[in-house]
Amino acid sequence: SRETGREIKPIHIISSSDYTEAERRLHNHFQEKRLYGEAGIEWFLLDPEDVEWLKSITVFEDIEDEIS
C-alpha cells in the first residue's frame, strides 16, 4: 500500500514451500490478464471465476500441476 497509496486488504492466503516459484507460475498463468499501474506495480484484471478458483486453493503444491 505504500507504493500505491491505496489500502490493500488480503482476501485469501495460499501456503507454499516455494513462494517465488508459486508467484512466478501464477503470474504466467494469468499473464493475459496482467495490467501495469503506477510506479510499475503489477495488477491483474481477474474474472470472478478466477478469484473463486484462487480462493479455493489453500496449498499451492496441490494445484501446481494444473498451471504452467
Side-chain angles (χ1 to χ4, degrees), residues 12-17 56-64:
H12 183 68
I13 296 173
I14 299 172
S15 297
S16 176
S17 61
S56 75
I57 304 164
T58 55
V59 178
F60 179 77
E61 284 77 12
D62 290 348
I63 58 94
E64 67 182 335

Side-chain angles (χ1 to χ4, degrees), residues 23-40:
E23 181 180 12
R24 183 189 70 75
R25 291 182 67 181
L26 287 168
H27 277 218
N28 286 343
H29 182 74
F30 291 115
Q31 68 185 347
E32 292 180 8
K33 299 180 180 198
R34 184 182 306 229
L35 304 171
Y36 292 92
E38 301 165 6

